[in-house]
Amino acid sequence: MKRYLTTYLPLLIFIQFSCNTKPKAPATTVSADAPEMLVSPAGKDSMLLLTDRPPNLETPLKYFLEDYTPNNVFFVRWHLSSLPSKVDIDTFRLRVNGNVATPLELSMEDLKTKFKPYTITALCQCAGNSRSFFDPRVAGGQWKNGAMGNAKWTGVKLKDILELAGAKANSKDVSFNGLDGPPMDSTPDFVKALHYDHAIDGEVMIAYEMNGEPLPLLNGYPLKLVVPGWYATYWVGMLSEVQVLDKPFKGFWMEKAYLVPKGVVNGNEKPDSLSKDMEPINKMDVRSLFVSPEPENTIEVGKATDIQGLAFDGGDGIEKVEISQDSGKTWKPARLDADLGKYSWRRWHYNFTPAEKGNYVFWVKATNSKGLSQPFHQWNRSGYMRNEIESLAINAQ
């Protein structure tokens, strides 16, 4: 059996450490207050540090010029600080139990030989991506736009695994737990759940490869649940247990955390009128953002500039992207690159040639195949699902 090299995770010792402060730019493009701290933990290149315990790292914007986010800079998100520093792949087993006829303990070799491999391209985006831009500000990790990444995921359809286990017809939910653990007994273990019908839709999968390579440890090695089109809170890393339930799942991370106003487009509510009816966050909303040039860049007068960015939604498909230079009064179409798959982001381009020196401000919005677009303002108490129309200010010289 092929043995994957185990990876060590020194959380507090970094290969490289640097800190820099960037000039303040438009609120929609650069985080508000703290200077950027760049770190290079084991297995990663230079990334933006959000927290070191648990490790939470953001992808620098420049890497979004690539259609598939490199593994060594793919964003990192963990909720619990007790993480294994290595995983012995020879003894590791994925346990599948609960409301099934035949409980399973699957090795990596089992997953690769007993099941047909499945590959899907899908965007993984933290529910709190871009939280630092909310106005008024909200508590939580102050991510900029880099708490996301696009990748080709290879593994096994969850449907196939549950069929082998003989999941029973009266199943209601399926829960997922990883090797990470709470630092104290009073801290709820991070366990997420999907409705059974969603779990067996043929797209939800358990990945053992990311962009053609074994998952990095910080991104969930050796196995990661992939829930295409849904926010990354469901993408449980270091997945070690799948439990089929004959009744709805009850747990802190589904009933108390990651809640949004029920049935409200864009998860909107008002600070002085908070929603009382809440539900677990789920499908990603429509969004677009600028990638290049970055706010601190200067463009050349009389020279064509390729303004480009990304647009995505929860799987319905991006229909168009539009650019405005007059604060949303009029809009012009951007050019879309080829579609990489309904769960992938889609790159867009807008050619601009400045006629004279000065500052120029652009707005961008995307619309999907269902006609859903982006609001001018969006807010909720948890800083989730941010998808406001974004602006970019650039200077021509």
Side-chain angles (χ1 to χ4, degrees), residues 120-324:
I120 191 170
T121 296
L123 172 70
C124 180
Q125 181 187 202
C126 176
N129 192 24
S130 311
R131 181 182 285 121
S132 65
F133 305 140
F134 270 82
D135 182 21
R137 297 288 290 274
V138 296
Q142 297 301 301
W143 299 99
K144 301 186 186 73
N145 283 340
M148 66 176 186
N150 201 43
K152 290 182 180 179
W153 309 91
T154 298
V156 181
K157 292 182 179 182
L158 181 59
K159 176 183 179 180
D160 294 345
I161 294 175
L162 296 184
E163 284 181 356
L164 183 63
K168 298 179 181 179
N170 67 333
S171 298
K172 304 296 184 186
D173 281 359
V174 182
S175 67
F176 307 90
N177 198 0
L179 296 175
D180 55 325
M184 300 180 293
D185 291 340
S186 58
T187 304
D189 194 10
F190 188 77
V191 182
K192 299 293 289 190
L194 297 173
H195 293 316
Y196 180 73
D197 288 345
H198 185 184
I200 61 169
D201 69 357
E203 293 183 324
V204 175
M205 64 173 293
I206 295 175
Y208 46 72
E209 287 185 0
M210 176 177 164
N211 292 325
E213 299 176 351
L215 295 163
L217 184 67
L218 281 172
N219 292 115
Y221 178 87
L223 297 175
K224 187 179 189 71
L225 184 70
V226 172
V227 186
W230 281 36
Y231 285 99
T233 178
Y234 293 93
W235 296 43
V236 176
M238 294 187 178
L239 182 66
S240 59
E241 183 178 22
V242 176
Q243 188 171 36
V244 182
L245 306 169
D246 61 1
K247 55 186 177 182
F249 174 79
K250 303 291 182 181
F252 175 85
W253 297 97
M254 293 296 295
E255 294 187 305
K256 301 294 183 181
Y258 285 101
L259 301 180
V260 294
K262 187 174 182 179
V264 178
V265 177
N266 304 317
N268 255 326
E269 60 183 345
K270 296 181 179 180
D272 58 354
S273 180
L274 297 179
S275 300
K276 296 181 180 179
D277 194 6
M278 307 290 283
E279 65 179 349
I281 196 171
N282 44 78
K283 188 176 179 180
M284 289 191 292
D285 52 12
V286 184
R287 184 153 187 222
S288 59
L289 53 87
F290 292 95
V291 171
S292 177
E294 295 191 40
E296 66 271 20
N297 296 156
T298 297
I299 63 176
E300 187 176 337
V301 172
K303 183 178 180 180
T305 296
D306 177 24
I307 299 175
Q308 65 170 285
L310 301 166
F312 48 87
D313 70 351
D316 296 307
I318 297 300
E319 189 73 20
K320 62 181 178 179
V321 173
E322 298 169 289
I323 302 293
S324 176

Side-chain angles (χ1 to χ4, degrees), residues 326-385:
D326 54 12
S327 300
K329 296 176 183 177
T330 61
W331 296 88
K332 297 179 181 180
R335 175 175 58 85
L336 295 175
D337 274 1
D339 192 340
L340 301 176
K342 65 179 183 178
Y343 295 115
S344 169
W345 61 32
R346 194 164 183 185
R347 192 169 305 279
W348 57 263
H349 302 264
Y350 182 77
N351 290 327
F352 173 69
T353 302
E356 56 186 27
K357 293 181 180 181
N359 293 318
Y360 295 85
V361 178
F362 301 87
W363 290 13
V364 63
K365 69 174 180 179
T367 303
N368 72 2
S369 62
K370 289 190 173 181
L372 298 175
S373 189
Q374 300 177 245
F376 287 100
H377 183 69
Q378 180 238 10
W379 187 91
N380 58 65
R381 75 192 83 173
S382 299
Y384 293 148
M385 304 174 64

